mmCIF file of all heavy atoms in Angstrom:
data_model
loop_
_atom_site.group_PDB
_atom_site.id
_atom_site.type_symbol
_atom_site.label_atom_id
_atom_site.label_comp_id
_atom_site.label_asym_id
_atom_site.label_seq_id
_atom_site.Cartn_x
_atom_site.Cartn_y
_atom_site.Cartn_z
ATOM 1 N N CYS W 46 -1.177 -127.376 177.343
ATOM 2 C CA CYS W 46 -0.667 -128.020 176.126
ATOM 3 C C CYS W 46 0.700 -127.492 175.722
ATOM 4 O O CYS W 46 1.226 -127.875 174.682
ATOM 5 C CB CYS W 46 -1.646 -127.822 174.974
ATOM 6 S SG CYS W 46 -3.183 -128.736 175.161
ATOM 7 N N HIS W 47 1.281 -126.597 176.494
ATOM 8 C CA HIS W 47 2.552 -125.973 176.138
ATOM 9 C C HIS W 47 3.752 -126.815 176.564
ATOM 10 O O HIS W 47 3.662 -127.653 177.465
ATOM 11 C CB HIS W 47 2.658 -124.594 176.790
ATOM 12 C CG HIS W 47 1.716 -123.589 176.241
ATOM 13 N ND1 HIS W 47 1.464 -122.384 176.859
ATOM 14 C CD2 HIS W 47 0.955 -123.586 175.120
ATOM 15 C CE1 HIS W 47 0.583 -121.685 176.149
ATOM 16 N NE2 HIS W 47 0.262 -122.402 175.089
ATOM 17 N N GLY W 48 4.873 -126.532 175.917
ATOM 18 C CA GLY W 48 6.145 -127.086 176.348
ATOM 19 C C GLY W 48 6.302 -128.572 176.154
ATOM 20 O O GLY W 48 7.099 -129.213 176.850
ATOM 21 N N ALA W 49 5.610 -129.142 175.196
ATOM 22 C CA ALA W 49 5.719 -130.578 174.955
ATOM 23 C C ALA W 49 7.000 -130.913 174.209
ATOM 24 O O ALA W 49 7.584 -130.074 173.511
ATOM 25 C CB ALA W 49 4.517 -131.078 174.165
ATOM 26 N N THR W 50 7.434 -132.136 174.332
ATOM 27 C CA THR W 50 8.528 -132.658 173.520
ATOM 28 C C THR W 50 7.938 -133.414 172.333
ATOM 29 O O THR W 50 6.752 -133.771 172.338
ATOM 30 C CB THR W 50 9.406 -133.614 174.332
ATOM 31 O OG1 THR W 50 8.615 -134.767 174.710
ATOM 32 C CG2 THR W 50 9.945 -132.926 175.585
ATOM 33 N N ILE W 51 8.762 -133.701 171.344
ATOM 34 C CA ILE W 51 8.266 -134.453 170.195
ATOM 35 C C ILE W 51 7.853 -135.856 170.625
ATOM 36 O O ILE W 51 6.915 -136.446 170.063
ATOM 37 C CB ILE W 51 9.322 -134.507 169.064
ATOM 38 C CG1 ILE W 51 8.695 -135.019 167.763
ATOM 39 C CG2 ILE W 51 10.524 -135.321 169.462
ATOM 40 C CD1 ILE W 51 7.693 -134.079 167.141
ATOM 41 N N GLU W 52 8.505 -136.404 171.662
ATOM 42 C CA GLU W 52 8.119 -137.713 172.174
ATOM 43 C C GLU W 52 6.719 -137.664 172.774
ATOM 44 O O GLU W 52 5.917 -138.587 172.572
ATOM 45 C CB GLU W 52 9.128 -138.191 173.224
ATOM 46 C CG GLU W 52 10.504 -138.521 172.673
ATOM 47 C CD GLU W 52 11.443 -137.324 172.668
ATOM 48 O OE1 GLU W 52 10.972 -136.178 172.897
ATOM 49 O OE2 GLU W 52 12.643 -137.536 172.424
ATOM 50 N N GLN W 53 6.408 -136.605 173.520
ATOM 51 C CA GLN W 53 5.074 -136.470 174.108
ATOM 52 C C GLN W 53 4.015 -136.268 173.032
ATOM 53 O O GLN W 53 2.895 -136.787 173.138
ATOM 54 C CB GLN W 53 5.064 -135.300 175.092
ATOM 55 C CG GLN W 53 5.860 -135.560 176.357
ATOM 56 C CD GLN W 53 5.955 -134.332 177.241
ATOM 57 O OE1 GLN W 53 6.112 -133.213 176.758
ATOM 58 N NE2 GLN W 53 5.859 -134.543 178.555
ATOM 59 N N ILE W 54 4.379 -135.528 171.990
ATOM 60 C CA ILE W 54 3.441 -135.303 170.892
ATOM 61 C C ILE W 54 3.134 -136.624 170.185
ATOM 62 O O ILE W 54 1.977 -136.925 169.854
ATOM 63 C CB ILE W 54 4.008 -134.259 169.914
ATOM 64 C CG1 ILE W 54 4.055 -132.885 170.597
ATOM 65 C CG2 ILE W 54 3.191 -134.200 168.639
ATOM 66 C CD1 ILE W 54 4.843 -131.844 169.834
ATOM 67 N N THR W 55 4.154 -137.430 169.974
ATOM 68 C CA THR W 55 3.943 -138.748 169.373
ATOM 69 C C THR W 55 3.094 -139.626 170.283
ATOM 70 O O THR W 55 2.230 -140.379 169.812
ATOM 71 C CB THR W 55 5.295 -139.420 169.086
ATOM 72 O OG1 THR W 55 6.075 -138.581 168.228
ATOM 73 C CG2 THR W 55 5.099 -140.765 168.401
ATOM 74 N N ASP W 56 3.325 -139.532 171.592
ATOM 75 C CA ASP W 56 2.489 -140.266 172.545
ATOM 76 C C ASP W 56 1.020 -139.855 172.412
ATOM 77 O O ASP W 56 0.113 -140.693 172.525
ATOM 78 C CB ASP W 56 2.952 -140.006 173.979
ATOM 79 C CG ASP W 56 4.252 -140.716 174.321
ATOM 80 O OD1 ASP W 56 4.660 -141.611 173.557
ATOM 81 O OD2 ASP W 56 4.859 -140.359 175.349
ATOM 82 N N ASP W 57 0.778 -138.553 172.204
ATOM 83 C CA ASP W 57 -0.596 -138.073 172.046
ATOM 84 C C ASP W 57 -1.241 -138.682 170.806
ATOM 85 O O ASP W 57 -2.434 -139.025 170.817
ATOM 86 C CB ASP W 57 -0.619 -136.549 171.953
ATOM 87 C CG ASP W 57 -0.303 -135.888 173.292
ATOM 88 O OD1 ASP W 57 -0.278 -136.589 174.315
ATOM 89 O OD2 ASP W 57 -0.083 -134.657 173.299
ATOM 90 N N ALA W 58 -0.471 -138.812 169.718
ATOM 91 C CA ALA W 58 -1.002 -139.442 168.509
ATOM 92 C C ALA W 58 -1.379 -140.893 168.784
ATOM 93 O O ALA W 58 -2.426 -141.381 168.330
ATOM 94 C CB ALA W 58 0.028 -139.364 167.381
ATOM 95 N N GLU W 59 -0.541 -141.589 169.545
ATOM 96 C CA GLU W 59 -0.831 -142.981 169.863
ATOM 97 C C GLU W 59 -2.053 -143.087 170.775
ATOM 98 O O GLU W 59 -2.869 -144.009 170.631
ATOM 99 C CB GLU W 59 0.392 -143.627 170.506
ATOM 100 C CG GLU W 59 1.590 -143.677 169.553
ATOM 101 C CD GLU W 59 2.682 -144.615 170.015
ATOM 102 O OE1 GLU W 59 2.573 -145.162 171.134
ATOM 103 O OE2 GLU W 59 3.639 -144.827 169.244
ATOM 104 N N ALA W 60 -2.190 -142.141 171.705
ATOM 105 C CA ALA W 60 -3.370 -142.131 172.573
ATOM 106 C C ALA W 60 -4.638 -141.882 171.758
ATOM 107 O O ALA W 60 -5.698 -142.466 172.036
ATOM 108 C CB ALA W 60 -3.217 -141.059 173.652
ATOM 109 N N ALA W 61 -4.526 -141.016 170.744
ATOM 110 C CA ALA W 61 -5.684 -140.750 169.883
ATOM 111 C C ALA W 61 -6.091 -142.004 169.115
ATOM 112 O O ALA W 61 -7.281 -142.311 168.990
ATOM 113 C CB ALA W 61 -5.354 -139.618 168.907
ATOM 114 N N LEU W 62 -5.098 -142.731 168.606
ATOM 115 C CA LEU W 62 -5.394 -143.972 167.891
ATOM 116 C C LEU W 62 -6.095 -144.969 168.812
ATOM 117 O O LEU W 62 -7.080 -145.603 168.418
ATOM 118 C CB LEU W 62 -4.103 -144.578 167.339
ATOM 119 C CG LEU W 62 -4.233 -145.941 166.659
ATOM 120 C CD1 LEU W 62 -5.182 -145.887 165.473
ATOM 121 C CD2 LEU W 62 -2.854 -146.454 166.229
ATOM 122 N N GLN W 63 -5.615 -145.079 170.031
ATOM 123 C CA GLN W 63 -6.238 -146.009 170.970
ATOM 124 C C GLN W 63 -7.660 -145.573 171.312
ATOM 125 O O GLN W 63 -8.568 -146.403 171.451
ATOM 126 C CB GLN W 63 -5.401 -146.111 172.249
ATOM 127 C CG GLN W 63 -5.919 -147.148 173.231
ATOM 128 C CD GLN W 63 -6.039 -148.527 172.603
ATOM 129 O OE1 GLN W 63 -5.078 -149.040 172.013
ATOM 130 N NE2 GLN W 63 -7.210 -149.154 172.700
ATOM 131 N N TRP W 64 -7.871 -144.243 171.443
ATOM 132 C CA TRP W 64 -9.211 -143.732 171.743
ATOM 133 C C TRP W 64 -10.173 -144.082 170.604
ATOM 134 O O TRP W 64 -11.318 -144.495 170.847
ATOM 135 C CB TRP W 64 -9.159 -142.226 171.933
ATOM 136 C CG TRP W 64 -10.445 -141.644 172.444
ATOM 137 C CD1 TRP W 64 -10.773 -141.385 173.743
ATOM 138 C CD2 TRP W 64 -11.583 -141.251 171.657
ATOM 139 N NE1 TRP W 64 -12.051 -140.867 173.827
ATOM 140 C CE2 TRP W 64 -12.570 -140.773 172.568
ATOM 141 C CE3 TRP W 64 -11.868 -141.259 170.300
ATOM 142 C CZ2 TRP W 64 -13.809 -140.306 172.132
ATOM 143 C CZ3 TRP W 64 -13.098 -140.802 169.862
ATOM 144 C CH2 TRP W 64 -14.060 -140.327 170.769
ATOM 145 N N VAL W 65 -9.715 -143.919 169.390
ATOM 146 C CA VAL W 65 -10.559 -144.253 168.243
ATOM 147 C C VAL W 65 -10.904 -145.734 168.254
ATOM 148 O O VAL W 65 -12.061 -146.124 168.034
ATOM 149 C CB VAL W 65 -9.855 -143.873 166.921
ATOM 150 C CG1 VAL W 65 -10.564 -144.499 165.724
ATOM 151 C CG2 VAL W 65 -9.798 -142.361 166.773
ATOM 152 N N ARG W 66 -9.938 -146.578 168.521
ATOM 153 C CA ARG W 66 -10.190 -148.018 168.539
ATOM 154 C C ARG W 66 -11.192 -148.381 169.645
ATOM 155 O O ARG W 66 -12.057 -149.222 169.449
ATOM 156 C CB ARG W 66 -8.870 -148.772 168.736
ATOM 157 C CG ARG W 66 -7.970 -148.715 167.520
ATOM 158 C CD ARG W 66 -6.614 -149.359 167.780
ATOM 159 N NE ARG W 66 -6.719 -150.713 168.304
ATOM 160 C CZ ARG W 66 -6.988 -151.786 167.577
ATOM 161 N NH1 ARG W 66 -7.194 -151.666 166.279
ATOM 162 N NH2 ARG W 66 -7.046 -152.980 168.133
ATOM 163 N N THR W 67 -11.073 -147.714 170.796
ATOM 164 C CA THR W 67 -11.955 -147.998 171.918
ATOM 165 C C THR W 67 -13.374 -147.513 171.679
ATOM 166 O O THR W 67 -14.351 -148.161 172.096
ATOM 167 C CB THR W 67 -11.399 -147.359 173.204
ATOM 168 O OG1 THR W 67 -10.092 -147.880 173.469
ATOM 169 C CG2 THR W 67 -12.310 -147.626 174.399
ATOM 170 N N ASN W 68 -13.507 -146.376 170.989
ATOM 171 C CA ASN W 68 -14.810 -145.729 170.828
ATOM 172 C C ASN W 68 -15.412 -145.879 169.431
ATOM 173 O O ASN W 68 -16.425 -145.247 169.123
ATOM 174 C CB ASN W 68 -14.682 -144.241 171.161
ATOM 175 C CG ASN W 68 -14.375 -144.016 172.623
ATOM 176 O OD1 ASN W 68 -15.262 -144.000 173.464
ATOM 177 N ND2 ASN W 68 -13.094 -143.840 172.935
ATOM 178 N N ALA W 69 -14.804 -146.705 168.597
ATOM 179 C CA ALA W 69 -15.253 -146.833 167.209
ATOM 180 C C ALA W 69 -16.717 -147.237 167.103
ATOM 181 O O ALA W 69 -17.470 -146.693 166.287
ATOM 182 C CB ALA W 69 -14.371 -147.838 166.473
ATOM 183 N N ASP W 70 -17.153 -148.171 167.908
ATOM 184 C CA ASP W 70 -18.536 -148.639 167.814
ATOM 185 C C ASP W 70 -19.540 -147.518 168.072
ATOM 186 O O ASP W 70 -20.598 -147.451 167.433
ATOM 187 C CB ASP W 70 -18.773 -149.773 168.806
ATOM 188 C CG ASP W 70 -18.109 -151.071 168.384
ATOM 189 O OD1 ASP W 70 -17.689 -151.159 167.209
ATOM 190 O OD2 ASP W 70 -18.005 -151.983 169.229
ATOM 191 N N ALA W 71 -19.206 -146.618 168.982
ATOM 192 C CA ALA W 71 -20.122 -145.538 169.321
ATOM 193 C C ALA W 71 -20.328 -144.573 168.165
ATOM 194 O O ALA W 71 -21.374 -143.936 168.048
ATOM 195 C CB ALA W 71 -19.604 -144.774 170.546
ATOM 196 N N PHE W 72 -19.333 -144.485 167.282
ATOM 197 C CA PHE W 72 -19.427 -143.558 166.156
ATOM 198 C C PHE W 72 -19.642 -144.275 164.821
ATOM 199 O O PHE W 72 -19.666 -143.645 163.770
ATOM 200 C CB PHE W 72 -18.162 -142.692 166.085
ATOM 201 C CG PHE W 72 -18.021 -141.746 167.244
ATOM 202 C CD1 PHE W 72 -17.297 -142.107 168.358
ATOM 203 C CD2 PHE W 72 -18.655 -140.513 167.222
ATOM 204 C CE1 PHE W 72 -17.184 -141.246 169.445
ATOM 205 C CE2 PHE W 72 -18.543 -139.639 168.290
ATOM 206 C CZ PHE W 72 -17.809 -140.011 169.411
ATOM 207 N N GLY W 73 -19.749 -145.596 164.861
ATOM 208 C CA GLY W 73 -20.036 -146.350 163.651
ATOM 209 C C GLY W 73 -18.870 -146.490 162.717
ATOM 210 O O GLY W 73 -19.051 -146.512 161.495
ATOM 211 N N SER W 74 -17.660 -146.574 163.255
ATOM 212 C CA SER W 74 -16.484 -146.671 162.387
ATOM 213 C C SER W 74 -15.709 -147.949 162.659
ATOM 214 O O SER W 74 -15.953 -148.663 163.633
ATOM 215 C CB SER W 74 -15.580 -145.457 162.598
ATOM 216 O OG SER W 74 -15.008 -145.469 163.877
ATOM 217 N N SER W 75 -14.747 -148.197 161.790
ATOM 218 C CA SER W 75 -13.870 -149.346 161.958
ATOM 219 C C SER W 75 -12.881 -149.082 163.081
ATOM 220 O O SER W 75 -12.552 -147.938 163.395
ATOM 221 C CB SER W 75 -13.109 -149.600 160.649
ATOM 222 O OG SER W 75 -12.057 -150.515 160.848
ATOM 223 N N THR W 76 -12.373 -150.150 163.681
ATOM 224 C CA THR W 76 -11.330 -150.006 164.697
ATOM 225 C C THR W 76 -9.944 -149.959 164.060
ATOM 226 O O THR W 76 -8.937 -149.829 164.767
ATOM 227 C CB THR W 76 -11.374 -151.170 165.692
ATOM 228 O OG1 THR W 76 -11.216 -152.409 164.977
ATOM 229 C CG2 THR W 76 -12.684 -151.174 166.464
ATOM 230 N N LYS W 77 -9.891 -150.066 162.735
ATOM 231 C CA LYS W 77 -8.609 -150.035 162.024
ATOM 232 C C LYS W 77 -8.658 -148.892 161.012
ATOM 233 O O LYS W 77 -9.033 -149.082 159.859
ATOM 234 C CB LYS W 77 -8.366 -151.383 161.336
ATOM 235 C CG LYS W 77 -6.944 -151.561 160.821
ATOM 236 C CD LYS W 77 -6.723 -152.982 160.325
ATOM 237 C CE LYS W 77 -5.292 -153.196 159.880
ATOM 238 N NZ LYS W 77 -5.059 -154.578 159.404
ATOM 239 N N PRO W 78 -8.266 -147.686 161.429
ATOM 240 C CA PRO W 78 -8.459 -146.503 160.596
ATOM 241 C C PRO W 78 -7.386 -146.297 159.540
ATOM 242 O O PRO W 78 -6.314 -146.901 159.583
ATOM 243 C CB PRO W 78 -8.403 -145.361 161.608
ATOM 244 C CG PRO W 78 -7.439 -145.864 162.630
ATOM 245 C CD PRO W 78 -7.721 -147.345 162.756
ATOM 246 N N VAL W 79 -7.706 -145.422 158.607
ATOM 247 C CA VAL W 79 -6.710 -144.808 157.738
ATOM 248 C C VAL W 79 -6.250 -143.546 158.456
ATOM 249 O O VAL W 79 -7.078 -142.765 158.932
ATOM 250 C CB VAL W 79 -7.306 -144.437 156.361
ATOM 251 C CG1 VAL W 79 -6.302 -143.658 155.527
ATOM 252 C CG2 VAL W 79 -7.746 -145.693 155.631
ATOM 253 N N VAL W 80 -4.949 -143.348 158.573
ATOM 254 C CA VAL W 80 -4.444 -142.147 159.232
ATOM 255 C C VAL W 80 -4.111 -141.098 158.173
ATOM 256 O O VAL W 80 -3.624 -141.415 157.094
ATOM 257 C CB VAL W 80 -3.215 -142.444 160.116
ATOM 258 C CG1 VAL W 80 -3.630 -143.248 161.339
ATOM 259 C CG2 VAL W 80 -2.138 -143.181 159.336
ATOM 260 N N PHE W 81 -4.399 -139.856 158.496
ATOM 261 C CA PHE W 81 -4.214 -138.760 157.561
ATOM 262 C C PHE W 81 -3.541 -137.600 158.265
ATOM 263 O O PHE W 81 -3.812 -137.334 159.444
ATOM 264 C CB PHE W 81 -5.570 -138.296 157.012
ATOM 265 C CG PHE W 81 -5.496 -137.044 156.178
ATOM 266 C CD1 PHE W 81 -5.324 -137.129 154.804
ATOM 267 C CD2 PHE W 81 -5.587 -135.785 156.761
ATOM 268 C CE1 PHE W 81 -5.247 -135.978 154.033
ATOM 269 C CE2 PHE W 81 -5.508 -134.633 156.002
ATOM 270 C CZ PHE W 81 -5.341 -134.728 154.633
#
Side-chain angles (χ1 to χ4, degrees):
C46 291
H47 291 167
T50 64
I51 193 68
E52 292 90 349
Q53 290 174 321
I54 292 169
T55 303
D56 287 346
D57 289 349
E59 296 195 354
L62 175 60
Q63 185 56 53
W64 189 95
V65 167
R66 289 175 53 78
T67 301
N68 293 277
D70 287 346
F72 293 93
S74 67
S75 168
T76 58
K77 192 172 183 180
V79 174
V80 290
F81 172 92

